[in-house]
Amino acid sequence: MYKILRVVFCLLACVCAAVTVLIFALFGLYGFIPLGGAVLFAVLMFICKNAQEREELKANPPPPKGDFITGKVENTDKK
């Protein structure tokens, strides 16, 4: 779900950014309207990206790693 939203918001942000140049050239300060839309859609894209990564990390946590403080992690895959 988040992946689809990321793609949609990215496309909308790109379209708004492309239209911004034309609107600024033809209508002056009204170009800030699509510019605001591009910023809004870019922010929504990054919010969906973070939510997707958080959901994937919750479903598949990384394996434990040791360091110089906690020491070596015991191998739980012994055969």
Side-chain angles (χ1 to χ4, degrees):
M1 174 73 173
Y2 289 119
K3 190 174 282 191
I4 294 170
L5 287 174
R6 283 175 59 187
V7 170
V8 169
F9 288 143
C10 181
L11 289 174
L12 288 172
C14 291
V15 168
C16 285
V19 169
T20 299
V21 175
L22 180 66
I23 300 294
F24 265 124
L26 295 177
F27 300 110
L29 294 179
Y30 286 109
F32 283 114
I33 295 170
L35 181 63
V39 169
L40 175 71
F41 290 130
V43 167
L44 288 172
M45 179 186 62
F46 285 117
I47 289 172
C48 288
K49 176 183 178 284
N50 289 336
Q52 178 187 0
E53 288 176 352
R54 189 173 37 247
E55 189 175 278
E56 288 175 354
L57 190 62
K58 188 183 293 184
N60 298 319
K65 295 181 182 177
D67 57 12
F68 69 96
I69 295 174
T70 60
K72 186 176 179 181
V73 173
E74 296 296 324
N75 189 2
T76 59
D77 296 332
K78 291 183 180 179
K79 294 180 183 177

